[in-house]
Amino acid sequence: MTVFARRARASAGRLHPELSLVSYTLLGHLEERDGCRATDLAAHYALDKSTVSRQVAALERAGLVERRQDPEDHRVQVLLLTEAGRHILGQVTVSRRAAVGERLADWSQEDLERFAGYLVRYNAWPRSG
């Protein structure tokens, strides 16, 4: 797992130098949810609020994320992808899929199905404190 995580971090830097694996993950979550609060990001990924705050600030400085007032609760700021954020996320996603496809190209259908099943099983593990 450590090697897998190291390779993921390294490939993130190669695919887009200013987009870390954490940044990519946060952008993906914002796209998936069509925006959310920073506290929601922290809770979802079990991260400290200050960690999320630093990551979000960097994404804002890069012009990839913007804050808007929540239309349902004007006291709350919602994080949304900018057009630039959507564009870079799309580019990195295409690159990542190509890299994974290349890595798995010579795997048999049986191996791919087994691997996919293991990933589903691994990701289904219930979160604990």
Side-chain angles (χ1 to χ4, degrees):
M1 293 303 295
T2 302
V3 171
F4 181 79
R6 274 191 207 129
R7 284 184 177 159
R9 280 192 299 275
S11 70
R14 285 191 306 272
L15 295 173
H16 197 282
E18 64 192 56
L19 199 59
S20 70
L21 181 60
V22 172
S23 296
Y24 174 78
T25 303
L26 296 179
L27 289 176
H29 188 82
L30 291 175
E31 180 183 53
E32 212 175 86
R33 302 272 192 255
D34 199 24
C36 70
R37 301 174 304 164
T39 54
D40 297 332
L41 286 173
H44 182 77
Y45 291 106
L47 294 170
D48 186 76
K49 290 177 188 176
S50 64
T51 301
V52 171
S53 179
R54 282 191 302 276
Q55 291 291 326
V56 167
L59 292 170
E60 284 182 293
R61 281 192 304 276
L64 306 178
V65 169
E66 64 184 358
R67 293 178 192 265
R68 289 195 193 150
Q69 194 174 53
D70 186 334
E72 296 175 18
D73 184 349
H74 296 287
R75 299 169 297 168
V76 175
Q77 294 285 310
V78 177
L79 301 168
L80 297 162
L81 291 181
T82 63
E83 263 321 297
R86 287 185 194 287
H87 180 73
I88 285 177
L89 182 62
Q91 284 181 321
V92 174
T93 298
V94 167
S95 296
R96 284 187 171 215
R97 285 184 181 155
V100 170
E102 185 178 314
R103 186 167 215 136
L104 301 178
D106 64 345
W107 287 32
S108 71
Q109 187 63 34
E110 182 182 323
D111 285 345
L112 289 171
E113 288 171 9
R114 193 174 316 137
F115 183 59
Y118 290 148
L119 287 174
V120 168
R121 183 174 163 192
Y122 180 83
N123 288 327
W125 185 264
R127 288 185 177 216
S128 60

